Amino acid sequence: MEWINLLVDIVKPIVLAIITLIVGLAIIKAVVKVIGSQIEKSKLDDSLKPFLLSVISAGLKVLLVISVIGILGIPIASFVAILGAAGLAVGLAFQGSLANLAGGVLLLTIRPFKVGDYIEGAGYSGTVKAIQILYTELVTVDNKMIFIPNGNLSNAGITNYSVNSTRRVDFTFGVSYDADNQHVLQVLRTIITNHELVMQDPEPFVRLANHGDSSVDYAVKAWVKAEDYWTVYYDVLEDVKLTFDRENIGIPYPTMDINMSNE
């Protein structure tokens, strides 16, 4: 009878552990399904949803394994200590990847930009093609693909040029001190107001801005639609040069006087 009791003492926790494992996995599956449906209805980024779901599932399974180990009579404290030490070792080995992972979660949660936006950050600029968990993919204006670690991007200042529908184009034009001030102002106002892509509300700004060492500097500021920014920028630069030449408005350039002596 003793061996039967001993066998029961051995088999009982094993059977209970197996039942707990099976029932626990079924419960976790149901819970994850319910949470998944709620996450799908949320406004979180599509790239973040499966990641969060997998983290929740993994966390619940770890708790289930710890419970099963406790039923088998294995000291949970020792197991948790081993698990913690292993986690620390893995964390130290992959601290760069973990930083990128945390950065990816932060970017996908806060969403300072989205796919299709033109941004500048971490020393790079381009159109966002994809936001992955570890890296963000940018396509530059000359069609290069850049993979920026999310850890670097989340810790750097990010400029998003696509958030607002309008942008302001700023120019500074230097002219000769010999040029007539009112004439220059009139020419610049005509150029900027006559451009079909320049918004008239707010009204373009044209004023004398600075008395430089060799030039009088004029500031020109105009609002345009975001997608028209570069078209207006290059058009105005070209128009100003052509008009200044036609109106005999001098554009100064650096000069150097060299005095030679025979002494």
Side-chain angles (χ1 to χ4, degrees):
M1 293 296 294
E2 292 183 1
W3 68 271
I4 294 177
N5 293 332
L6 180 61
L7 184 61
V8 170
D9 292 338
I10 295 175
V11 173
K12 183 179 178 180
I14 295 176
V15 173
L16 183 59
I18 293 174
I19 294 174
T20 302
L21 182 62
I22 295 173
V23 175
L25 288 174
I27 294 174
I28 289 174
K29 184 177 180 180
V31 170
V32 169
K33 185 176 181 180
V34 172
I35 295 175
S37 64
Q38 296 300 318
I39 291 178
E40 285 297 326
K41 295 176 183 178
S42 67
K43 297 181 179 180
L44 292 174
D45 193 277
D46 291 337
S47 302
L48 182 59
K49 292 177 181 178
F51 171 74
L52 287 178
L53 202 59
S54 62
V55 169
I56 293 172
S57 177
L60 292 175
K61 289 176 180 177
V62 169
L63 294 176
L64 177 61
V65 169
I66 293 175
S67 300
V68 170
I69 289 175
I71 293 173
L72 292 174
I74 301 175
I76 296 179
S78 301
F79 177 77
V80 172
I82 295 173
L83 189 64
L88 179 61
V90 172
L92 291 175
F94 296 97
Q95 54 182 338
S97 297
L98 291 176
N100 292 335
L101 177 64
V105 173
L106 186 64
L107 292 175
L108 290 170
T109 303
I110 300 177
R111 302 184 68 181
F113 54 83
K114 64 182 184 297
V115 174
D117 286 354
Y118 187 87
I119 68 168
E120 181 179 337
Y124 300 96
S125 60
T127 302
V128 180
K129 182 179 180 181
I131 308 171
Q132 306 294 348
I133 293 300
L134 298 180
Y135 295 90
T136 293
E137 301 175 13
L138 292 186
V139 180
T140 64
V141 292
D142 55 350
N143 206 32
K144 295 177 182 177
M145 180 69 73
I146 300 177
F147 298 87
I148 306 178
N150 285 333
N152 296 346
L153 192 57
S154 62
N155 289 322
I158 300 173
T159 302
N160 190 333
Y161 293 98
S162 302
V163 172
N164 298 320
S165 60
T166 59
R167 290 182 63 184
R168 193 180 72 183
V169 191
D170 294 348
F171 302 94
T172 300
F173 298 106
V175 303
S176 170
Y177 271 95
D178 296 333
D180 180 79
N181 177 63
Q182 294 302 318
H183 185 207
V184 174
L185 289 173
Q186 182 59 43
V187 167
L188 291 175
R189 288 194 187 100
T190 301
I191 292 173
I192 201 68
T193 56
N194 286 348
H195 198 292
E196 60 181 5
L197 297 180
V198 172
M199 301 172 62
Q200 300 306 314
D201 185 17
E203 183 181 355
F205 175 90
V206 181
R207 293 294 298 273
L208 192 156
N210 181 52
H211 294 159
D213 293 335
S214 59
S215 67
V216 178
D217 299 328
Y218 292 82
V220 178
K221 307 176 189 295
W223 288 92
V224 299
K225 293 181 179 179
E227 61 269 22
D228 296 331
Y229 180 90
W230 291 112
T231 300
V232 172
Y233 181 84
Y234 290 116
D235 283 354
V236 171
L237 285 181
E238 184 175 349
D239 289 345
V240 166
K241 178 63 171 66
L242 293 174
T243 306
F244 277 11
D245 289 345
R246 187 170 60 250
E247 297 293 329
N248 295 318
I249 299 175
I251 300 177
Y253 51 86
T255 60
M256 180 182 295
D257 294 333
I258 301 177
N259 297 316
M260 301 184 64
S261 174
N262 293 326
E263 296 181 2

